[in-house]
Amino acid sequence: PESSFITQYILEGFGKLQNMNVINNLKKDQQNIVRTITNKCIDFVSKKVIDHYNYILKENKGKYYYSSATTSNLFALSYFDFDYDNDFVAAKKYFIKKLNDDWKKLDFESQAKIALILHRNGENDAAQLIVKSLKERAQKSETLGMYWAGNSNYFSSASQVKIHTVIMEAFKEINPNEN
């Protein structure tokens, strides 16, 4: 059976490998396999974003609710340039506006993902604001360095290492010239 979580996780992993230029260093036949898998994942995950959007509009009578799954899906998709259909464009635009409005209410990991989603979609001022906020709320210790404590999503299975990794990814990508 298909799994939204596993598919999104695989897509995010391929996105990170692509950003590190690993996929370009594969043999051509291996690149083709990765491309085939990635395209299937993009189709599946983008459909999940559209499904959530349509559910809000039709079943939920336009009443928005935050979904960490949709944020994770948009985050995984944000690594890739692909041909968007009109339904996905409308859904993405809707969710980007909502995420831009709601990020302050969310946990550190979600905020870092949202900063990267916004940055990769041209919303640089909002992304900078989130990164600035994350830096201001970081704990600093002589022995531990900079870290974020005590703010995780109850429903998330993310480890503190994963949370810190996505925050550091946001810092590096959004402000590449800062330490």
Side-chain angles (χ1 to χ4, degrees):
E2 58 194 35
S3 168
S4 297
F5 174 76
I6 296 299
T7 306
Q8 170 268 313
Y9 188 76
I10 290 168
L11 185 62
E12 181 181 328
F14 278 135
K16 289 178 187 224
L17 290 172
Q18 180 177 287
N19 269 7
M20 294 185 296
N21 213 27
V22 171
I23 294 171
N24 290 337
N25 291 319
L26 296 173
K27 295 176 186 171
K28 288 294 179 199
D29 60 327
Q30 294 171 323
Q31 287 181 21
N32 290 336
I33 292 168
V34 169
R35 191 175 306 112
T36 299
I37 294 168
T38 301
N39 288 340
K40 288 181 180 181
C41 289
I42 287 170
D43 289 344
F44 182 83
V45 171
S46 61
K47 183 172 178 344
K48 291 298 177 187
V49 172
I50 294 167
D51 289 348
H52 182 207
Y53 176 66
N54 287 335
Y55 176 82
I56 288 171
L57 293 182
K58 295 173 185 160
E59 304 296 322
N60 219 35
K61 299 176 176 70
K63 186 176 180 213
Y64 170 75
Y65 64 92
Y66 174 75
S67 165
S68 62
T70 298
T71 299
S72 292
N73 287 339
L74 288 168
F75 177 64
L77 290 165
S78 73
Y79 285 101
F80 302 94
D81 290 324
F82 59 96
D83 293 330
Y84 307 124
D85 66 16
N86 290 339
D87 291 337
F88 182 77
V89 170
K92 184 173 97 166
K93 182 178 178 183
Y94 173 83
F95 287 120
I96 284 176
K97 182 189 179 329
K98 294 297 185 182
L99 293 174
N100 197 357
D101 292 343
D102 293 346
W103 67 267
K104 292 178 189 170
K105 303 173 194 169
L106 304 172
D107 59 271
F108 292 138
E109 179 186 19
S110 297
Q111 289 180 8
K113 285 181 177 181
I114 291 166
L116 286 162
I117 292 166
L118 294 172
H119 174 72
R120 293 171 183 167
N121 284 280
E123 300 283 336
N124 295 318
D125 290 344
Q128 291 285 349
L129 184 64
I130 295 170
V131 167
K132 179 181 176 196
S133 174
L134 286 166
K135 281 185 181 178
E136 289 171 352
R137 291 176 292 138
Q139 306 293 312
K140 294 177 180 95
S141 159
E142 195 64 34
T143 55
L144 298 175
M146 182 168 36
Y147 66 97
W148 293 264
N151 181 279
S152 61
N153 179 343
Y154 176 77
F155 298 104
S156 174
S157 62
S159 70
Q160 288 297 314
V161 172
K162 184 171 189 291
I163 293 167
H164 284 70
T165 301
V166 75
I167 292 170
M168 300 317 295
E169 180 181 359
F171 285 5
K172 183 177 182 243
E173 186 173 322
I174 296 168
N175 292 323
N177 297 324
E178 284 189 26
N179 291 334

